[in-house]
Amino acid sequence: MQLKLVPANSAGTVTTFFLSSQGEGHDEINFEFLGNVSGQPYTIHTNVYTQGKGNKEQQFHLWFDPTAAFHTYTIVWNPHRIVFLVDNSPIRVFNNHESIGIPFPKSQAMKVYCSLWNADEWATQGGRVKTDWALAPFTAYYRNINIDGCAVPSGTSSCKSIGSTNNAKPWQTHELDGKGRNRLRWVQSKHMVYNYCADSKRFPQGFSEECKRSRF
């Protein structure tokens, strides 16, 4: 999806692009763009929910102005991992660690959703800065959505007929190469501003087991 975010004072607003199943115990993979006061950076908020449980947040500041032009935001989701990309640069990888008891979203079909909403109770600087409604309307722009996935028209995935990796689509076996891993290290070292795997105040009982594993 290509997005151009709300310009100038966007405090309190959240622009989203995400995948979600429906009903209780939903799965979700999301990009949320948290607005800020003029001159301050947007925060990209990412999270992964499995069976209704999230708490897997990582946040980043962008290395460009996301309000000046369209940029491409991508979610790759396959049975092995979830990769979040910005202009084809990976910013986050969430691997499937079901082997050590970490739930992974793979059993529920998800649809694509987009929204722009008011979340000034938490979105900007922890809710300290509220939406200035004198600046409304707030407008974000979406274009060029490209979906390549497994259709589930009657409860059965169209991908079940793929019997080997030779017949798989590229996204079904997608993983980072050396260049991608280097780019991910750069983004996470220079632009990550929050990582649930480093928040000991929030998780005093200890971090989730996948935090001890490689980020790649």
Side-chain angles (χ1 to χ4, degrees):
M1 176 76 77
Q2 291 188 318
L3 286 85
K4 185 164 65 171
L5 302 180
V6 177
N9 187 345
S10 56
T13 68
V14 176
T15 305
T16 71
F17 161 49
F18 64 102
L19 310 180
S20 182
S21 64
Q22 297 177 321
E24 187 176 354
H26 79 294
D27 293 344
E28 184 177 323
I29 304 167
N30 66 40
F31 272 116
E32 292 185 304
F33 304 89
L34 313 185
N36 214 330
V37 294
S38 298
Q40 297 298 311
Y42 261 84
T43 297
I44 292 187
H45 178 96
T46 67
N47 203 354
V48 176
Y49 287 80
T50 309
Q51 299 166 12
K53 296 182 179 179
N55 297 329
K56 308 291 185 186
E57 300 93 341
Q58 288 185 354
Q59 296 182 343
F60 307 84
H61 285 163
L62 291 167
W63 50 96
F64 54 82
D65 180 358
T67 71
F70 283 93
H71 292 268
T72 302
Y73 303 89
T74 304
I75 297 170
V76 177
W77 168 42
N78 64 39
H80 312 289
R81 62 192 58 84
I82 298 163
V83 185
F84 298 80
L85 303 102
V86 176
D87 289 338
N88 292 320
S89 290
I91 66 169
R92 179 180 184 180
V93 176
F94 185 82
N95 286 307
N96 184 338
H97 286 303
E98 289 181 303
S99 61
I100 58 172
I102 305 301
F104 186 83
K106 69 175 189 181
S107 60
Q108 300 188 70
M110 291 197 265
K111 296 181 178 181
V112 178
Y113 295 88
C114 303
S115 63
L116 172 57
W117 57 292
N118 176 49
D120 65 4
E121 73 278 6
W122 67 272
T124 303
Q125 301 176 32
R128 292 188 295 273
V129 181
K130 303 300 182 181
T131 303
D132 183 353
W133 290 105
L135 303 175
F138 301 99
T139 306
Y141 299 88
Y142 296 79
R143 73 180 187 187
N144 294 342
I145 184 171
N146 181 9
I147 302 175
D148 184 6
C150 303
V152 191
S154 58
T156 301
S157 171
S158 62
C159 291
K160 290 188 179 298
S161 60
I162 298 175
S164 71
T165 56
N166 293 330
N167 296 324
K169 298 180 180 181
W171 62 265
Q172 291 180 279
T173 56
H174 179 86
E175 59 182 331
L176 300 190
D177 57 14
K179 181 179 178 180
R181 290 192 294 271
N182 287 336
R183 186 65 174 175
L184 178 65
R185 291 187 186 99
W186 177 80
V187 171
Q188 296 200 339
S189 66
K190 300 294 186 180
H191 299 283
M192 179 184 283
V193 295
Y194 178 82
N195 183 2
Y196 75 103
C197 286
D199 191 342
S200 57
K201 291 184 179 179
R202 185 179 173 198
F203 301 105
Q205 73 280 10
F207 302 126
S208 184
E209 189 65 27
E210 79 273 9
C211 294
K212 304 174 185 178
R213 305 299 178 103
S214 169
R215 69 182 65 180
F216 309 124

Coordinates of all heavy atoms in Angstrom, one line a residue, residues 1-3 16-20 28-33 44-48 72-78 81-94 104-105 110-114 145-149 171-172 174:
M1 N 0.8 -1.2 0.0 CA 0.0 0.0 0.0 C 0.9 1.2 0.0 O 1.9 1.3 0.7 CB -0.9 0.0 1.2 CG -1.8 1.2 1.4 SD -3.2 1.3 0.3 CE -4.2 0.1 1.1
Q2 N 0.5 2.2 -0.8 CA 1.2 3.5 -0.8 C 0.4 4.5 0.0 O -0.8 4.6 -0.2 CB 1.5 4.0 -2.2 CG 2.5 3.2 -2.9 CD 2.9 3.9 -4.3 OE1 2.0 4.4 -5.0 NE2 4.1 3.9 -4.6
L3 N 1.0 5.2 0.9 CA 0.3 6.2 1.8 C 1.1 7.5 1.8 O 2.3 7.5 1.7 CB 0.3 5.7 3.2 CG -0.7 4.6 3.6 CD1 -0.1 3.2 3.4 CD2 -1.0 4.7 5.1
T16 N -4.0 4.0 9.7 CA -3.7 2.6 9.8 C -3.8 1.9 8.4 O -4.5 2.3 7.5 CB -4.7 1.9 10.7 OG1 -6.0 1.8 10.1 CG2 -4.8 2.6 12.0
F17 N -3.0 0.8 8.4 CA -3.1 -0.1 7.3 C -2.7 -1.5 8.0 O -1.7 -1.7 8.5 CB -2.0 0.2 6.2 CG -1.6 -0.9 5.3 CD1 -2.6 -1.7 4.7 CD2 -0.3 -1.2 5.0 CE1 -2.2 -2.7 3.8 CE2 0.1 -2.2 4.2 CZ -0.9 -3.0 3.6
F18 N -3.7 -2.4 7.9 CA -3.5 -3.6 8.7 C -4.3 -4.8 8.2 O -5.3 -4.6 7.4 CB -3.9 -3.4 10.2 CG -5.3 -3.0 10.5 CD1 -6.2 -4.0 11.0 CD2 -5.8 -1.7 10.3 CE1 -7.5 -3.7 11.3 CE2 -7.1 -1.4 10.6 CZ -8.0 -2.4 11.1
L19 N -4.0 -6.0 8.6 CA -4.7 -7.2 8.3 C -5.4 -7.7 9.6 O -4.8 -7.6 10.7 CB -3.7 -8.3 7.9 CG -2.7 -8.0 6.8 CD1 -1.9 -9.2 6.4 CD2 -3.5 -7.5 5.5
S20 N -6.6 -8.2 9.5 CA -7.3 -8.6 10.7 C -8.3 -9.7 10.3 O -9.0 -9.6 9.3 CB -8.0 -7.5 11.4 OG -8.6 -7.9 12.6
E28 N -4.3 -10.3 14.1 CA -4.1 -9.0 13.5 C -2.6 -8.7 13.3 O -1.8 -9.1 14.1 CB -4.7 -7.9 14.4 CG -4.7 -6.5 13.8 CD -5.4 -5.5 14.7 OE1 -6.4 -5.9 15.3 OE2 -4.9 -4.4 14.8
I29 N -2.3 -8.1 12.2 CA -0.9 -7.6 11.9 C -1.1 -6.2 11.4 O -1.7 -5.9 10.4 CB -0.3 -8.5 10.7 CG1 -0.3 -10.0 11.1 CG2 1.1 -8.0 10.5 CD1 0.0 -10.9 9.9
N30 N -0.5 -5.2 12.2 CA -0.8 -3.9 11.9 C 0.4 -2.9 11.8 O 1.4 -3.0 12.4 CB -1.9 -3.3 12.8 CG -1.4 -3.2 14.3 OD1 -0.3 -2.8 14.6 ND2 -2.3 -3.6 15.2
F31 N 0.2 -1.9 10.9 CA 0.9 -0.7 10.8 C -0.1 0.4 11.3 O -1.2 0.5 10.8 CB 1.2 -0.3 9.4 CG 2.5 -0.8 8.8 CD1 2.5 -1.7 7.7 CD2 3.7 -0.4 9.3 CE1 3.6 -2.1 7.2 CE2 4.9 -0.8 8.7 CZ 4.9 -1.7 7.7
E32 N 0.4 1.2 12.3 CA -0.4 2.3 12.8 C 0.6 3.5 12.8 O 1.7 3.4 13.3 CB -1.0 2.1 14.2 CG -2.1 1.1 14.2 CD -2.8 0.9 15.6 OE1 -2.0 0.7 16.5 OE2 -4.0 1.1 15.6
F33 N 0.1 4.6 12.2 CA 1.0 5.8 12.1 C 0.5 6.8 13.1 O -0.6 7.4 12.8 CB 1.0 6.3 10.6 CG 1.4 5.2 9.7 CD1 0.5 4.4 9.1 CD2 2.8 5.1 9.3 CE1 0.9 3.4 8.2 CE2 3.2 4.1 8.4 CZ 2.2 3.2 7.9
I44 N 5.8 5.1 13.7 CA 5.2 3.9 13.1 C 5.1 2.9 14.3 O 6.1 2.5 14.9 CB 6.1 3.3 12.0 CG1 6.1 4.1 10.8 CG2 5.6 1.9 11.6 CD1 6.8 3.5 9.6
H45 N 3.9 2.5 14.6 CA 3.6 1.5 15.6 C 3.2 0.2 14.9 O 2.3 0.1 14.1 CB 2.4 2.1 16.4 CG 1.9 1.2 17.5 ND1 2.3 1.3 18.8 CD2 1.0 0.1 17.5 CE1 1.7 0.4 19.6 NE2 0.9 -0.3 18.8
T46 N 3.9 -0.9 15.2 CA 3.6 -2.2 14.7 C 3.3 -3.2 15.8 O 3.8 -3.0 16.9 CB 4.8 -2.8 13.9 OG1 5.9 -3.0 14.8 CG2 5.3 -1.8 12.8
N47 N 2.4 -4.1 15.5 CA 2.0 -5.1 16.5 C 1.5 -6.3 15.8 O 1.1 -6.3 14.6 CB 0.9 -4.5 17.4 CG 0.8 -5.2 18.8 OD1 1.5 -6.2 19.0 ND2 -0.1 -4.7 19.6
V48 N 1.5 -7.4 16.5 CA 1.0 -8.7 16.0 C 0.1 -9.3 17.1 O 0.6 -9.5 18.2 CB 2.2 -9.7 15.7 CG1 1.7 -11.1 15.3 CG2 3.1 -9.1 14.6
T72 N 5.8 3.4 0.2 CA 5.2 2.1 0.2 C 5.4 1.3 1.5 O 6.6 1.2 1.9 CB 5.8 1.3 -1.0 OG1 5.6 2.0 -2.2 CG2 5.2 -0.1 -1.1
Y73 N 4.3 0.8 2.0 CA 4.3 0.0 3.3 C 3.8 -1.4 3.0 O 2.7 -1.5 2.4 CB 3.5 0.8 4.3 CG 3.9 2.2 4.6 CD1 3.4 3.2 3.8 CD2 4.9 2.5 5.5 CE1 3.9 4.5 4.0 CE2 5.4 3.8 5.7 CZ 4.8 4.8 4.9 OH 5.2 6.1 5.1
T74 N 4.6 -2.4 3.4 CA 4.3 -3.7 2.9 C 4.3 -4.7 4.2 O 5.1 -4.5 5.1 CB 5.4 -4.2 2.0 OG1 5.5 -3.3 0.9 CG2 5.1 -5.6 1.5
I75 N 3.3 -5.6 4.1 CA 3.3 -6.7 5.1 C 3.4 -8.0 4.3 O 2.6 -8.3 3.4 CB 2.0 -6.7 5.9 CG1 1.8 -5.4 6.8 CG2 1.9 -7.9 6.8 CD1 0.4 -5.3 7.4
V76 N 4.5 -8.8 4.6 CA 4.6 -10.1 4.1 C 4.3 -11.1 5.2 O 4.9 -11.0 6.3 CB 6.0 -10.4 3.6 CG1 6.2 -11.8 3.1 CG2 6.4 -9.4 2.5
W77 N 3.3 -11.9 5.0 CA 2.8 -12.9 6.0 C 2.8 -14.3 5.4 O 2.1 -14.5 4.5 CB 1.4 -12.4 6.5 CG 0.7 -13.4 7.3 CD1 1.2 -14.2 8.4 CD2 -0.7 -13.7 7.3 NE1 0.2 -15.0 8.9 CE2 -1.0 -14.7 8.3 CE3 -1.7 -13.3 6.4 CZ2 -2.2 -15.2 8.4 CZ3 -3.0 -13.8 6.6 CH2 -3.2 -14.8 7.6
N78 N 3.6 -15.1 6.0 CA 3.6 -16.5 5.5 C 3.7 -17.4 6.8 O 3.8 -16.9 7.9 CB 4.7 -16.8 4.5 CG 6.1 -16.6 5.0 OD1 6.4 -17.0 6.1 ND2 7.0 -16.0 4.2
R81 N 7.1 -16.5 8.9 CA 7.5 -15.2 9.5 C 6.5 -14.1 9.0 O 5.8 -14.3 8.0 CB 8.9 -14.9 9.2 CG 9.2 -14.7 7.7 CD 10.7 -14.6 7.4 NE 11.4 -15.8 7.9 CZ 11.4 -17.0 7.1 NH1 10.9 -17.1 6.0 NH2 12.1 -18.0 7.6
I82 N 6.6 -13.0 9.7 CA 5.9 -11.8 9.2 C 7.0 -10.7 9.1 O 7.8 -10.5 10.0 CB 4.9 -11.3 10.3 CG1 3.7 -12.4 10.4 CG2 4.2 -10.0 9.9 CD1 2.9 -12.2 11.7
V83 N 7.0 -10.1 7.9 CA 8.0 -9.0 7.7 C 7.3 -7.7 7.4 O 6.4 -7.7 6.6 CB 8.9 -9.4 6.5 CG1 10.0 -8.3 6.3 CG2 9.5 -10.8 6.7
F84 N 7.7 -6.7 8.1 CA 7.2 -5.3 7.9 C 8.2 -4.6 7.1 O 9.4 -4.6 7.5 CB 6.9 -4.6 9.2 CG 5.9 -5.2 10.1 CD1 6.2 -6.3 10.9 CD2 4.6 -4.7 10.2 CE1 5.2 -6.8 11.8 CE2 3.7 -5.2 11.0 CZ 4.0 -6.3 11.8
L85 N 7.8 -3.9 6.0 CA 8.8 -3.2 5.1 C 8.3 -1.8 4.8 O 7.1 -1.6 4.7 CB 9.0 -3.9 3.8 CG 9.5 -5.4 3.9 CD1 8.4 -6.4 3.6 CD2 10.7 -5.6 2.9
V86 N 9.2 -0.9 4.7 CA 8.9 0.5 4.3 C 9.8 0.8 3.1 O 11.1 0.7 3.2 CB 9.2 1.5 5.4 CG1 9.0 2.9 5.0 CG2 8.4 1.2 6.6
D87 N 9.2 1.1 2.0 CA 10.0 1.3 0.7 C 10.9 0.2 0.5 O 12.1 0.4 0.1 CB 10.7 2.6 0.7 CG 9.7 3.8 0.6 OD1 8.6 3.7 0.1 OD2 10.1 4.9 1.1
N88 N 10.4 -1.1 0.7 CA 11.2 -2.3 0.5 C 12.3 -2.5 1.5 O 13.1 -3.5 1.3 CB 11.7 -2.4 -0.9 CG 10.6 -2.6 -1.9 OD1 9.7 -3.3 -1.7 ND2 10.7 -1.9 -3.1
S89 N 12.5 -1.6 2.5 CA 13.4 -1.9 3.6 C 12.8 -2.6 4.7 O 11.8 -2.0 5.3 CB 14.0 -0.5 4.0 OG 14.9 0.0 3.1
P90 N 13.2 -3.7 5.2 CA 12.6 -4.4 6.3 C 12.9 -3.6 7.6 O 14.0 -3.2 7.8 CB 13.3 -5.8 6.3 CG 14.6 -5.5 5.6 CD 14.4 -4.5 4.6
I91 N 11.8 -3.4 8.4 CA 12.0 -2.7 9.6 C 11.8 -3.7 10.8 O 12.2 -3.4 11.9 CB 11.1 -1.5 9.8 CG1 9.6 -1.9 9.8 CG2 11.4 -0.5 8.6 CD1 8.7 -0.7 10.2
R92 N 11.1 -4.8 10.5 CA 10.8 -5.7 11.6 C 10.5 -7.1 11.0 O 9.9 -7.2 10.0 CB 9.5 -5.2 12.4 CG 9.1 -6.2 13.5 CD 7.9 -5.8 14.3 NE 7.7 -6.7 15.4 CZ 6.7 -6.6 16.3 NH1 5.8 -5.5 16.2 NH2 6.5 -7.5 17.3
V93 N 10.9 -8.1 11.8 CA 10.6 -9.5 11.4 C 10.1 -10.2 12.7 O 10.7 -10.1 13.7 CB 11.9 -10.3 10.9 CG1 11.5 -11.7 10.7 CG2 12.4 -9.6 9.7
F94 N 8.9 -10.8 12.6 CA 8.3 -11.6 13.7 C 8.3 -13.0 13.2 O 7.4 -13.4 12.3 CB 6.9 -11.1 14.0 CG 6.3 -11.8 15.2 CD1 6.6 -11.3 16.5 CD2 5.4 -12.8 15.1 CE1 6.1 -12.0 17.6 CE2 4.9 -13.4 16.1 CZ 5.2 -13.0 17.4
F104 N 1.3 -18.1 16.9 CA 1.6 -17.4 15.6 C 0.3 -17.4 14.8 O -0.4 -18.4 14.7 CB 2.7 -18.1 14.9 CG 3.2 -17.4 13.6 CD1 4.1 -16.4 13.7 CD2 2.7 -17.8 12.4 CE1 4.6 -15.7 12.5 CE2 3.1 -17.1 11.2 CZ 4.1 -16.1 11.3
P105 N 0.0 -16.2 14.2 CA -1.3 -16.2 13.4 C -1.1 -16.9 12.1 O -0.4 -16.5 11.2 CB -1.4 -14.6 13.2 CG -0.1 -14.1 13.2 CD 0.7 -14.9 14.2
M110 N -7.5 -13.4 7.1 CA -7.6 -12.0 7.4 C -7.9 -11.1 6.2 O -7.5 -11.5 5.1 CB -6.2 -11.5 8.0 CG -6.0 -12.1 9.4 SD -4.7 -11.3 10.3 CE -3.2 -12.3 9.9
K111 N -8.6 -10.0 6.4 CA -8.8 -9.1 5.4 C -8.0 -7.8 5.6 O -7.4 -7.6 6.7 CB -10.3 -8.6 5.4 CG -11.3 -9.8 5.1 CD -12.8 -9.2 5.2 CE -13.7 -10.3 4.8 NZ -15.2 -9.8 4.9
V112 N -7.9 -7.0 4.5 CA -7.1 -5.7 4.6 C -8.0 -4.6 5.0 O -9.1 -4.5 4.5 CB -6.5 -5.4 3.2 CG1 -5.7 -4.1 3.3 CG2 -5.5 -6.5 2.8
Y113 N -7.6 -3.8 6.0 CA -8.3 -2.7 6.5 C -7.5 -1.4 6.5 O -6.2 -1.5 6.6 CB -8.8 -2.9 7.9 CG -9.8 -4.0 8.1 CD1 -9.4 -5.4 8.3 CD2 -11.2 -3.8 8.0 CE1 -10.2 -6.4 8.4 CE2 -12.1 -4.9 8.2 CZ -11.6 -6.1 8.4 OH -12.5 -7.2 8.5
C114 N -8.1 -0.3 6.3 CA -7.4 1.0 6.4 C -8.4 2.0 7.1 O -9.6 1.9 7.0 CB -7.1 1.6 5.0 SG -6.1 0.5 3.9
I145 N -2.9 -0.1 -3.9 CA -2.9 -1.3 -3.1 C -2.6 -2.6 -4.0 O -3.2 -2.7 -5.1 CB -4.2 -1.5 -2.3 CG1 -4.1 -2.8 -1.4 CG2 -5.4 -1.6 -3.2 CD1 -5.3 -2.9 -0.4
N146 N -1.8 -3.4 -3.5 CA -1.4 -4.6 -4.3 C -1.5 -5.8 -3.3 O -0.7 -5.9 -2.4 CB 0.0 -4.5 -4.9 CG 0.4 -5.7 -5.7 OD1 -0.5 -6.6 -6.0 ND2 1.6 -5.8 -6.1
I147 N -2.5 -6.7 -3.6 CA -2.7 -7.9 -2.7 C -2.4 -9.1 -3.5 O -2.9 -9.4 -4.5 CB -4.2 -7.9 -2.2 CG1 -4.5 -6.7 -1.4 CG2 -4.4 -9.2 -1.3 CD1 -6.0 -6.6 -1.0
D148 N -1.5 -9.9 -3.0 CA -1.2 -11.2 -3.5 C -1.2 -12.2 -2.4 O -0.3 -12.3 -1.6 CB 0.2 -11.2 -4.2 CG 0.6 -12.5 -4.9 OD1 -0.3 -13.4 -5.0 OD2 1.7 -12.7 -5.3
G149 N -2.3 -13.0 -2.4 CA -2.5 -13.9 -1.2 C -3.3 -15.1 -1.6 O -3.5 -15.4 -2.8
W171 N 6.2 -14.7 -1.9 CA 6.0 -14.3 -0.5 C 5.8 -15.5 0.4 O 6.0 -15.3 1.6 CB 4.7 -13.4 -0.5 CG 3.4 -14.0 -0.9 CD1 2.9 -14.0 -2.2 CD2 2.5 -14.8 -0.2 NE1 1.7 -14.7 -2.2 CE2 1.5 -15.2 -1.0 CE3 2.5 -15.3 1.1 CZ2 0.4 -16.0 -0.6 CZ3 1.5 -16.1 1.6 CH2 0.4 -16.4 0.7
Q172 N 5.4 -16.6 -0.1 CA 5.2 -17.8 0.7 C 6.4 -18.4 1.4 O 6.4 -19.1 2.4 CB 4.4 -18.9 -0.1 CG 3.0 -18.5 -0.4 CD 2.3 -19.6 -1.2 OE1 2.5 -19.7 -2.4 NE2 1.5 -20.4 -0.5
H174 N 9.3 -16.2 1.6 CA 10.1 -15.0 1.8 C 10.9 -15.0 3.1 O 10.4 -15.3 4.1 CB 9.2 -13.7 1.7 CG 10.0 -12.4 1.9 ND1 10.5 -11.8 0.8 CD2 10.3 -11.7 3.0 CE1 11.1 -10.7 1.3 NE2 11.0 -10.6 2.6

